[in-house]
Amino acid sequence: LRKQKMLPCIWFIFKRSACDQAARRAYKTLAKRPLLKQRERALLAEMMDELRRSHPESVKHDLVKPFLCGIASHHAGLLPSWKGLVESAFKRGLVKVVFATHTLALGINMPAKTVVISELETRRGPGYGRGVLTHNEIFQLAGRAGRRGYDETGNCVLLNSPNVSLQRVLKTEELLQHVRDLDRYPKESR
């Protein structure tokens, strides 16, 4: 994504623990190729020091190193002060990649240049099993892509889910109709 100039991005993963794990893994992978300039890292360190002073209980110790390198996770299992820190740093352009659950797309104003949807199937809740994302869910997640005033277009990357064929995703007539009518949707961010 960095090579394609598609940062900042929100990478949607549908499991809280997987968001944290992805942030730690990305940090290890990118440790030798930093996403941030020295000044950006210093600003993040200042923000982290302030959180440690004001809300020490909110610090997610295993996610501090990734955060200081511009990588974070965001989900309902984190304390509000930590999530506020991530949101603030992302809006300021200091965090370049956020691994988040779908709840981030519901009411939080955190647009990104790119959205990555990690899988097309998600758990539906106790007793409901797993199901393919609906077209409304895909559009809700994809709607975070494109920052008003910054990007001419937003990018949405759908990763292949090994257990879900494209035919299964396109099975619903509503989604098929949306795919057929894509040329009617605006091609740029508004």
Side-chain angles (χ1 to χ4, degrees):
L1 294 174
R2 177 173 41 182
K3 286 179 186 177
Q4 297 297 318
K5 298 185 179 1
M6 293 172 73
L7 296 177
C9 96
I10 299 172
W11 194 301
F12 287 108
I13 300 173
F14 299 109
K15 197 172 176 187
R16 294 176 190 180
S17 62
C19 291
D20 294 346
Q21 183 181 35
R24 291 188 300 268
R25 197 177 294 157
Y27 163 71
K28 288 178 184 174
T29 301
L30 296 172
K32 294 181 182 173
R33 297 172 294 187
L35 292 174
L36 304 177
K37 297 175 181 147
Q38 184 62 35
R39 178 69 186 134
E40 292 172 315
R41 288 194 301 270
L43 289 170
L44 285 177
E46 289 174 18
M47 292 174 78
M48 181 58 64
D49 289 343
E50 175 57 32
L51 181 70
R52 283 183 172 132
R53 277 192 298 280
S54 61
H55 298 283
E57 72 285 353
S58 294
V59 176
K60 188 82 166 132
H61 296 287
D62 61 328
L63 296 175
V64 169
K65 285 182 181 179
F67 177 80
L68 294 175
C69 290
I71 302 164
S73 70
H74 189 289
H75 54 75
L78 299 169
L79 292 174
S81 296
W82 180 271
K83 290 189 292 188
L85 173 74
V86 170
E87 292 165 18
S88 176
F90 190 81
K91 288 176 185 175
R92 291 176 63 186
L94 300 173
V95 168
K96 305 298 184 188
V97 180
V98 173
F99 295 97
T101 58
H102 67 285
T103 56
L104 182 78
L106 305 172
I108 296 175
N109 184 21
M110 245 178 82
K113 186 169 190 169
T114 302
V115 164
V116 177
I117 301 174
S118 65
E119 57 184 307
L120 298 172
E121 186 179 52
T122 184
R123 197 180 82 215
R124 291 290 174 200
Y128 293 101
R130 296 185 61 81
V132 176
L133 294 175
T134 67
H135 72 283
N136 286 336
E137 291 168 323
I138 291 171
F139 280 123
Q140 180 69 34
L141 297 172
R144 301 291 110 203
R147 299 164 298 166
R148 183 177 296 178
Y150 291 96
D151 303 318
E152 286 186 31
T153 60
N155 307 295
C156 180
V157 178
L158 297 170
L159 296 182
N160 181 39
S161 296
N163 299 324
V164 181
S165 69
L166 185 57
Q167 289 76 20
R168 184 170 165 213
V169 173
L170 296 176
K171 207 179 233 183
T172 68
E173 187 55 38
E174 285 181 76
L175 187 55
L176 279 172
Q177 189 59 44
H178 280 292
V179 170
R180 287 185 202 115
D181 295 338
L182 277 177
D183 59 348
R184 286 198 271 164
Y185 291 96
K187 301 291 191 270
E188 59 188 58
S189 174
R190 294 184 197 257

PDB file of all heavy atoms in Angstrom, residues 82-115:
ATOM      1  N   TRP A  82      -7.503   5.052  25.039  1.00  0.00           N
ATOM      2  CA  TRP A  82      -6.596   4.493  24.021  1.00  0.00           C
ATOM      3  C   TRP A  82      -7.193   4.687  22.630  1.00  0.00           C
ATOM      4  O   TRP A  82      -6.506   5.118  21.704  1.00  0.00           O
ATOM      5  CB  TRP A  82      -6.317   3.016  24.278  1.00  0.00           C
ATOM      6  CG  TRP A  82      -5.395   2.431  23.245  1.00  0.00           C
ATOM      7  CD1 TRP A  82      -5.744   1.849  22.053  1.00  0.00           C
ATOM      8  CD2 TRP A  82      -3.968   2.427  23.261  1.00  0.00           C
ATOM      9  NE1 TRP A  82      -4.628   1.464  21.353  1.00  0.00           N
ATOM     10  CE2 TRP A  82      -3.518   1.814  22.079  1.00  0.00           C
ATOM     11  CE3 TRP A  82      -3.026   2.879  24.180  1.00  0.00           C
ATOM     12  CZ2 TRP A  82      -2.174   1.652  21.776  1.00  0.00           C
ATOM     13  CZ3 TRP A  82      -1.681   2.698  23.889  1.00  0.00           C
ATOM     14  CH2 TRP A  82      -1.276   2.097  22.693  1.00  0.00           C
ATOM     15  N   LYS A  83      -8.478   4.395  22.476  1.00  0.00           N
ATOM     16  CA  LYS A  83      -9.120   4.574  21.177  1.00  0.00           C
ATOM     17  C   LYS A  83      -9.085   6.046  20.758  1.00  0.00           C
ATOM     18  O   LYS A  83      -8.846   6.360  19.591  1.00  0.00           O
ATOM     19  CB  LYS A  83     -10.558   4.057  21.198  1.00  0.00           C
ATOM     20  CG  LYS A  83     -10.631   2.541  21.280  1.00  0.00           C
ATOM     21  CD  LYS A  83     -12.027   2.011  21.075  1.00  0.00           C
ATOM     22  CE  LYS A  83     -12.938   2.373  22.203  1.00  0.00           C
ATOM     23  NZ  LYS A  83     -14.248   1.713  22.137  1.00  0.00           N
ATOM     24  N   GLY A  84      -9.285   6.942  21.712  1.00  0.00           N
ATOM     25  CA  GLY A  84      -9.214   8.373  21.414  1.00  0.00           C
ATOM     26  C   GLY A  84      -7.825   8.782  20.947  1.00  0.00           C
ATOM     27  O   GLY A  84      -7.686   9.604  20.028  1.00  0.00           O
ATOM     28  N   LEU A  85      -6.807   8.203  21.556  1.00  0.00           N
ATOM     29  CA  LEU A  85      -5.427   8.458  21.144  1.00  0.00           C
ATOM     30  C   LEU A  85      -5.213   8.022  19.700  1.00  0.00           C
ATOM     31  O   LEU A  85      -4.667   8.769  18.880  1.00  0.00           O
ATOM     32  CB  LEU A  85      -4.463   7.706  22.069  1.00  0.00           C
ATOM     33  CG  LEU A  85      -2.989   7.727  21.687  1.00  0.00           C
ATOM     34  CD1 LEU A  85      -2.390   9.090  21.985  1.00  0.00           C
ATOM     35  CD2 LEU A  85      -2.239   6.637  22.451  1.00  0.00           C
ATOM     36  N   VAL A  86      -5.661   6.820  19.373  1.00  0.00           N
ATOM     37  CA  VAL A  86      -5.511   6.285  18.010  1.00  0.00           C
ATOM     38  C   VAL A  86      -6.270   7.171  17.021  1.00  0.00           C
ATOM     39  O   VAL A  86      -5.739   7.545  15.964  1.00  0.00           O
ATOM     40  CB  VAL A  86      -5.996   4.822  17.931  1.00  0.00           C
ATOM     41  CG1 VAL A  86      -6.080   4.341  16.493  1.00  0.00           C
ATOM     42  CG2 VAL A  86      -5.076   3.921  18.749  1.00  0.00           C
ATOM     43  N   GLU A  87      -7.503   7.531  17.352  1.00  0.00           N
ATOM     44  CA  GLU A  87      -8.310   8.365  16.454  1.00  0.00           C
ATOM     45  C   GLU A  87      -7.656   9.725  16.220  1.00  0.00           C
ATOM     46  O   GLU A  87      -7.569  10.195  15.085  1.00  0.00           O
ATOM     47  CB  GLU A  87      -9.713   8.551  17.038  1.00  0.00           C
ATOM     48  CG  GLU A  87     -10.529   7.280  17.050  1.00  0.00           C
ATOM     49  CD  GLU A  87     -11.764   7.357  17.937  1.00  0.00           C
ATOM     50  OE1 GLU A  87     -12.201   8.493  18.290  1.00  0.00           O
ATOM     51  OE2 GLU A  87     -12.300   6.287  18.289  1.00  0.00           O
ATOM     52  N   SER A  88      -7.176  10.342  17.280  1.00  0.00           N
ATOM     53  CA  SER A  88      -6.531  11.649  17.170  1.00  0.00           C
ATOM     54  C   SER A  88      -5.266  11.572  16.312  1.00  0.00           C
ATOM     55  O   SER A  88      -5.045  12.409  15.432  1.00  0.00           O
ATOM     56  CB  SER A  88      -6.197  12.169  18.566  1.00  0.00           C
ATOM     57  OG  SER A  88      -5.498  13.377  18.494  1.00  0.00           O
ATOM     58  N   ALA A  89      -4.437  10.564  16.564  1.00  0.00           N
ATOM     59  CA  ALA A  89      -3.190  10.415  15.803  1.00  0.00           C
ATOM     60  C   ALA A  89      -3.481  10.109  14.335  1.00  0.00           C
ATOM     61  O   ALA A  89      -2.784  10.603  13.438  1.00  0.00           O
ATOM     62  CB  ALA A  89      -2.332   9.316  16.422  1.00  0.00           C
ATOM     63  N   PHE A  90      -4.516   9.320  14.074  1.00  0.00           N
ATOM     64  CA  PHE A  90      -4.874   8.991  12.694  1.00  0.00           C
ATOM     65  C   PHE A  90      -5.357  10.240  11.962  1.00  0.00           C
ATOM     66  O   PHE A  90      -4.951  10.511  10.829  1.00  0.00           O
ATOM     67  CB  PHE A  90      -5.944   7.900  12.679  1.00  0.00           C
ATOM     68  CG  PHE A  90      -6.198   7.320  11.316  1.00  0.00           C
ATOM     69  CD1 PHE A  90      -5.362   6.355  10.787  1.00  0.00           C
ATOM     70  CD2 PHE A  90      -7.276   7.745  10.550  1.00  0.00           C
ATOM     71  CE1 PHE A  90      -5.592   5.811   9.535  1.00  0.00           C
ATOM     72  CE2 PHE A  90      -7.522   7.214   9.299  1.00  0.00           C
ATOM     73  CZ  PHE A  90      -6.674   6.243   8.793  1.00  0.00           C
ATOM     74  N   LYS A  91      -6.214  11.011  12.601  1.00  0.00           N
ATOM     75  CA  LYS A  91      -6.728  12.237  11.977  1.00  0.00           C
ATOM     76  C   LYS A  91      -5.617  13.239  11.694  1.00  0.00           C
ATOM     77  O   LYS A  91      -5.702  14.006  10.742  1.00  0.00           O
ATOM     78  CB  LYS A  91      -7.800  12.869  12.866  1.00  0.00           C
ATOM     79  CG  LYS A  91      -9.091  12.095  12.878  1.00  0.00           C
ATOM     80  CD  LYS A  91     -10.090  12.717  13.844  1.00  0.00           C
ATOM     81  CE  LYS A  91     -11.342  11.886  13.946  1.00  0.00           C
ATOM     82  NZ  LYS A  91     -12.280  12.408  14.955  1.00  0.00           N
ATOM     83  N   ARG A  92      -4.586  13.236  12.528  1.00  0.00           N
ATOM     84  CA  ARG A  92      -3.447  14.142  12.326  1.00  0.00           C
ATOM     85  C   ARG A  92      -2.455  13.603  11.293  1.00  0.00           C
ATOM     86  O   ARG A  92      -1.467  14.253  10.985  1.00  0.00           O
ATOM     87  CB  ARG A  92      -2.728  14.369  13.653  1.00  0.00           C
ATOM     88  CG  ARG A  92      -3.550  15.171  14.644  1.00  0.00           C
ATOM     89  CD  ARG A  92      -2.867  15.314  15.972  1.00  0.00           C
ATOM     90  NE  ARG A  92      -1.601  16.044  15.884  1.00  0.00           N
ATOM     91  CZ  ARG A  92      -0.766  16.203  16.890  1.00  0.00           C
ATOM     92  NH1 ARG A  92      -1.057  15.693  18.085  1.00  0.00           N
ATOM     93  NH2 ARG A  92       0.354  16.859  16.735  1.00  0.00           N
ATOM     94  N   GLY A  93      -2.710  12.394  10.793  1.00  0.00           N
ATOM     95  CA  GLY A  93      -1.824  11.815   9.782  1.00  0.00           C
ATOM     96  C   GLY A  93      -0.590  11.154  10.349  1.00  0.00           C
ATOM     97  O   GLY A  93       0.346  10.848   9.604  1.00  0.00           O
ATOM     98  N   LEU A  94      -0.580  10.915  11.653  1.00  0.00           N
ATOM     99  CA  LEU A  94       0.588  10.313  12.295  1.00  0.00           C
ATOM    100  C   LEU A  94       0.517   8.800  12.316  1.00  0.00           C
ATOM    101  O   LEU A  94       1.548   8.131  12.300  1.00  0.00           O
ATOM    102  CB  LEU A  94       0.731  10.854  13.723  1.00  0.00           C
ATOM    103  CG  LEU A  94       0.906  12.375  13.813  1.00  0.00           C
ATOM    104  CD1 LEU A  94       0.862  12.824  15.268  1.00  0.00           C
ATOM    105  CD2 LEU A  94       2.200  12.803  13.143  1.00  0.00           C
ATOM    106  N   VAL A  95      -0.665   8.242  12.388  1.00  0.00           N
ATOM    107  CA  VAL A  95      -0.850   6.791  12.280  1.00  0.00           C
ATOM    108  C   VAL A  95      -1.250   6.509  10.839  1.00  0.00           C
ATOM    109  O   VAL A  95      -2.186   7.113  10.323  1.00  0.00           O
ATOM    110  CB  VAL A  95      -1.915   6.275  13.277  1.00  0.00           C
ATOM    111  CG1 VAL A  95      -2.307   4.845  12.965  1.00  0.00           C
ATOM    112  CG2 VAL A  95      -1.384   6.362  14.701  1.00  0.00           C
ATOM    113  N   LYS A  96      -0.535   5.617  10.199  1.00  0.00           N
ATOM    114  CA  LYS A  96      -0.748   5.345   8.771  1.00  0.00           C
ATOM    115  C   LYS A  96      -1.603   4.118   8.514  1.00  0.00           C
ATOM    116  O   LYS A  96      -2.228   4.011   7.462  1.00  0.00           O
ATOM    117  CB  LYS A  96       0.603   5.164   8.060  1.00  0.00           C
ATOM    118  CG  LYS A  96       1.571   6.312   8.246  1.00  0.00           C
ATOM    119  CD  LYS A  96       1.054   7.604   7.686  1.00  0.00           C
ATOM    120  CE  LYS A  96       2.111   8.702   7.823  1.00  0.00           C
ATOM    121  NZ  LYS A  96       1.601   9.993   7.468  1.00  0.00           N
ATOM    122  N   VAL A  97      -1.611   3.157   9.464  1.00  0.00           N
ATOM    123  CA  VAL A  97      -2.396   1.931   9.299  1.00  0.00           C
ATOM    124  C   VAL A  97      -3.119   1.636  10.604  1.00  0.00           C
ATOM    125  O   VAL A  97      -2.495   1.571  11.668  1.00  0.00           O
ATOM    126  CB  VAL A  97      -1.504   0.717   8.937  1.00  0.00           C
ATOM    127  CG1 VAL A  97      -2.343  -0.543   8.782  1.00  0.00           C
ATOM    128  CG2 VAL A  97      -0.701   0.988   7.670  1.00  0.00           C
ATOM    129  N   VAL A  98      -4.440   1.475  10.515  1.00  0.00           N
ATOM    130  CA  VAL A  98      -5.238   1.075  11.669  1.00  0.00           C
ATOM    131  C   VAL A  98      -5.925  -0.242  11.334  1.00  0.00           C
ATOM    132  O   VAL A  98      -6.630  -0.335  10.327  1.00  0.00           O
ATOM    133  CB  VAL A  98      -6.307   2.136  12.031  1.00  0.00           C
ATOM    134  CG1 VAL A  98      -7.231   1.609  13.123  1.00  0.00           C
ATOM    135  CG2 VAL A  98      -5.646   3.419  12.479  1.00  0.00           C
ATOM    136  N   PHE A  99      -5.706  -1.244  12.151  1.00  0.00           N
ATOM    137  CA  PHE A  99      -6.408  -2.523  12.038  1.00  0.00           C
ATOM    138  C   PHE A  99      -7.626  -2.418  12.950  1.00  0.00           C
ATOM    139  O   PHE A  99      -7.472  -2.216  14.156  1.00  0.00           O
ATOM    140  CB  PHE A  99      -5.505  -3.678  12.448  1.00  0.00           C
ATOM    141  CG  PHE A  99      -4.324  -3.847  11.535  1.00  0.00           C
ATOM    142  CD1 PHE A  99      -3.087  -3.315  11.858  1.00  0.00           C
ATOM    143  CD2 PHE A  99      -4.462  -4.527  10.328  1.00  0.00           C
ATOM    144  CE1 PHE A  99      -1.999  -3.463  11.008  1.00  0.00           C
ATOM    145  CE2 PHE A  99      -3.385  -4.683   9.467  1.00  0.00           C
ATOM    146  CZ  PHE A  99      -2.147  -4.145   9.807  1.00  0.00           C
ATOM    147  N   ALA A 100      -8.820  -2.512  12.370  1.00  0.00           N
ATOM    148  CA  ALA A 100     -10.025  -2.229  13.136  1.00  0.00           C
ATOM    149  C   ALA A 100     -11.128  -3.233  12.856  1.00  0.00           C
ATOM    150  O   ALA A 100     -11.184  -3.830  11.781  1.00  0.00           O
ATOM    151  CB  ALA A 100     -10.527  -0.829  12.787  1.00  0.00           C
ATOM    152  N   THR A 101     -12.016  -3.366  13.833  1.00  0.00           N
ATOM    153  CA  THR A 101     -13.227  -4.148  13.605  1.00  0.00           C
ATOM    154  C   THR A 101     -14.233  -3.258  12.885  1.00  0.00           C
ATOM    155  O   THR A 101     -14.047  -2.040  12.786  1.00  0.00           O
ATOM    156  CB  THR A 101     -13.812  -4.648  14.937  1.00  0.00           C
ATOM    157  OG1 THR A 101     -14.079  -3.516  15.779  1.00  0.00           O
ATOM    158  CG2 THR A 101     -12.882  -5.622  15.632  1.00  0.00           C
ATOM    159  N   HIS A 102     -15.301  -3.859  12.425  1.00  0.00           N
ATOM    160  CA  HIS A 102     -16.300  -3.129  11.644  1.00  0.00           C
ATOM    161  C   HIS A 102     -16.967  -2.003  12.424  1.00  0.00           C
ATOM    162  O   HIS A 102     -17.535  -1.095  11.835  1.00  0.00           O
ATOM    163  CB  HIS A 102     -17.363  -4.098  11.117  1.00  0.00           C
ATOM    164  CG  HIS A 102     -18.198  -4.702  12.193  1.00  0.00           C
ATOM    165  ND1 HIS A 102     -17.722  -5.689  13.027  1.00  0.00           N
ATOM    166  CD2 HIS A 102     -19.449  -4.427  12.595  1.00  0.00           C
ATOM    167  CE1 HIS A 102     -18.660  -6.007  13.894  1.00  0.00           C
ATOM    168  NE2 HIS A 102     -19.727  -5.262  13.649  1.00  0.00           N
ATOM    169  N   THR A 103     -16.887  -1.999  13.740  1.00  0.00           N
ATOM    170  CA  THR A 103     -17.526  -0.940  14.522  1.00  0.00           C
ATOM    171  C   THR A 103     -16.924   0.428  14.224  1.00  0.00           C
ATOM    172  O   THR A 103     -17.586   1.442  14.430  1.00  0.00           O
ATOM    173  CB  THR A 103     -17.438  -1.226  16.035  1.00  0.00           C
ATOM    174  OG1 THR A 103     -16.068  -1.404  16.396  1.00  0.00           O
ATOM    175  CG2 THR A 103     -18.240  -2.465  16.402  1.00  0.00           C
ATOM    176  N   LEU A 104     -15.706   0.469  13.707  1.00  0.00           N
ATOM    177  CA  LEU A 104     -15.086   1.744  13.356  1.00  0.00           C
ATOM    178  C   LEU A 104     -15.867   2.436  12.238  1.00  0.00           C
ATOM    179  O   LEU A 104     -15.896   3.660  12.157  1.00  0.00           O
ATOM    180  CB  LEU A 104     -13.630   1.541  12.916  1.00  0.00           C
ATOM    181  CG  LEU A 104     -12.893   2.829  12.587  1.00  0.00           C
ATOM    182  CD1 LEU A 104     -12.479   3.530  13.861  1.00  0.00           C
ATOM    183  CD2 LEU A 104     -11.689   2.563  11.739  1.00  0.00           C
ATOM    184  N   ALA A 105     -16.509   1.684  11.389  1.00  0.00           N
ATOM    185  CA  ALA A 105     -17.253   2.260  10.265  1.00  0.00           C
ATOM    186  C   ALA A 105     -18.617   2.789  10.687  1.00  0.00           C
ATOM    187  O   ALA A 105     -19.320   3.386   9.878  1.00  0.00           O
ATOM    188  CB  ALA A 105     -17.424   1.218   9.163  1.00  0.00           C
ATOM    189  N   LEU A 106     -18.966   2.597  11.936  1.00  0.00           N
ATOM    190  CA  LEU A 106     -20.293   2.994  12.407  1.00  0.00           C
ATOM    191  C   LEU A 106     -20.201   4.244  13.273  1.00  0.00           C
ATOM    192  O   LEU A 106     -20.062   4.176  14.481  1.00  0.00           O
ATOM    193  CB  LEU A 106     -20.937   1.853  13.213  1.00  0.00           C
ATOM    194  CG  LEU A 106     -21.037   0.515  12.484  1.00  0.00           C
ATOM    195  CD1 LEU A 106     -21.495  -0.571  13.432  1.00  0.00           C
ATOM    196  CD2 LEU A 106     -21.967   0.632  11.296  1.00  0.00           C
ATOM    197  N   GLY A 107     -20.243   5.400  12.653  1.00  0.00           N
ATOM    198  CA  GLY A 107     -20.368   6.641  13.394  1.00  0.00           C
ATOM    199  C   GLY A 107     -19.091   7.348  13.797  1.00  0.00           C
ATOM    200  O   GLY A 107     -19.155   8.427  14.351  1.00  0.00           O
ATOM    201  N   ILE A 108     -17.943   6.794  13.546  1.00  0.00           N
ATOM    202  CA  ILE A 108     -16.699   7.473  13.897  1.00  0.00           C
ATOM    203  C   ILE A 108     -16.161   8.139  12.634  1.00  0.00           C
ATOM    204  O   ILE A 108     -16.026   7.505  11.591  1.00  0.00           O
ATOM    205  CB  ILE A 108     -15.657   6.493  14.477  1.00  0.00           C
ATOM    206  CG1 ILE A 108     -16.173   5.917  15.783  1.00  0.00           C
ATOM    207  CG2 ILE A 108     -14.325   7.200  14.694  1.00  0.00           C
ATOM    208  CD1 ILE A 108     -15.296   4.858  16.394  1.00  0.00           C
ATOM    209  N   ASN A 109     -15.852   9.419  12.724  1.00  0.00           N
ATOM    210  CA  ASN A 109     -15.350  10.154  11.575  1.00  0.00           C
ATOM    211  C   ASN A 109     -13.838   9.981  11.473  1.00  0.00           C
ATOM    212  O   ASN A 109     -13.072  10.763  12.018  1.00  0.00           O
ATOM    213  CB  ASN A 109     -15.712  11.637  11.687  1.00  0.00           C
ATOM    214  CG  ASN A 109     -15.286  12.410  10.463  1.00  0.00           C
ATOM    215  OD1 ASN A 109     -15.086  11.843   9.393  1.00  0.00           O
ATOM    216  ND2 ASN A 109     -15.142  13.712  10.618  1.00  0.00           N
ATOM    217  N   MET A 110     -13.451   8.923  10.800  1.00  0.00           N
ATOM    218  CA  MET A 110     -12.034   8.617  10.611  1.00  0.00           C
ATOM    219  C   MET A 110     -11.805   8.160   9.172  1.00  0.00           C
ATOM    220  O   MET A 110     -11.471   7.008   8.932  1.00  0.00           O
ATOM    221  CB  MET A 110     -11.617   7.501  11.584  1.00  0.00           C
ATOM    222  CG  MET A 110     -10.619   7.945  12.615  1.00  0.00           C
ATOM    223  SD  MET A 110     -10.216   6.618  13.769  1.00  0.00           S
ATOM    224  CE  MET A 110      -9.016   5.683  12.881  1.00  0.00           C
ATOM    225  N   PRO A 111     -11.988   9.033   8.206  1.00  0.00           N
ATOM    226  CA  PRO A 111     -11.796   8.610   6.820  1.00  0.00           C
ATOM    227  C   PRO A 111     -10.323   8.341   6.514  1.00  0.00           C
ATOM    228  O   PRO A 111      -9.434   8.925   7.118  1.00  0.00           O
ATOM    229  CB  PRO A 111     -12.320   9.789   6.003  1.00  0.00           C
ATOM    230  CG  PRO A 111     -12.232  10.959   6.915  1.00  0.00           C
ATOM    231  CD  PRO A 111     -12.375  10.436   8.306  1.00  0.00           C
ATOM    232  N   ALA A 112     -10.095   7.439   5.571  1.00  0.00           N
ATOM    233  CA  ALA A 112      -8.746   7.052   5.164  1.00  0.00           C
ATOM    234  C   ALA A 112      -8.666   7.131   3.647  1.00  0.00           C
ATOM    235  O   ALA A 112      -9.683   7.182   2.964  1.00  0.00           O
ATOM    236  CB  ALA A 112      -8.459   5.623   5.617  1.00  0.00           C
ATOM    237  N   LYS A 113      -7.478   7.120   3.124  1.00  0.00           N
ATOM    238  CA  LYS A 113      -7.327   7.074   1.670  1.00  0.00           C
ATOM    239  C   LYS A 113      -7.747   5.707   1.139  1.00  0.00           C
ATOM    240  O   LYS A 113      -8.320   5.592   0.071  1.00  0.00           O
ATOM    241  CB  LYS A 113      -5.884   7.382   1.282  1.00  0.00           C
ATOM    242  CG  LYS A 113      -5.676   7.490  -0.206  1.00  0.00           C
ATOM    243  CD  LYS A 113      -4.312   8.044  -0.536  1.00  0.00           C
ATOM    244  CE  LYS A 113      -4.257   8.361  -2.016  1.00  0.00           C
ATOM    245  NZ  LYS A 113      -3.068   9.127  -2.340  1.00  0.00           N
ATOM    246  N   THR A 114      -7.465   4.680   1.935  1.00  0.00           N
ATOM    247  CA  THR A 114      -7.737   3.305   1.506  1.00  0.00           C
ATOM    248  C   THR A 114      -8.375   2.522   2.642  1.00  0.00           C
ATOM    249  O   THR A 114      -8.027   2.697   3.807  1.00  0.00           O
ATOM    250  CB  THR A 114      -6.422   2.613   1.091  1.00  0.00           C
ATOM    251  OG1 THR A 114      -5.812   3.367   0.042  1.00  0.00           O
ATOM    252  CG2 THR A 114      -6.651   1.183   0.632  1.00  0.00           C
ATOM    253  N   VAL A 115      -9.290   1.657   2.260  1.00  0.00           N
ATOM    254  CA  VAL A 115      -9.901   0.703   3.170  1.00  0.00           C
ATOM    255  C   VAL A 115      -9.583  -0.691   2.644  1.00  0.00           C
ATOM    256  O   VAL A 115      -9.697  -0.936   1.438  1.00  0.00           O
ATOM    257  CB  VAL A 115     -11.432   0.912   3.233  1.00  0.00           C
ATOM    258  CG1 VAL A 115     -12.120  -0.278   3.852  1.00  0.00           C
ATOM    259  CG2 VAL A 115     -11.765   2.180   3.976  1.00  0.00           C
TER     260      VAL A 115
END
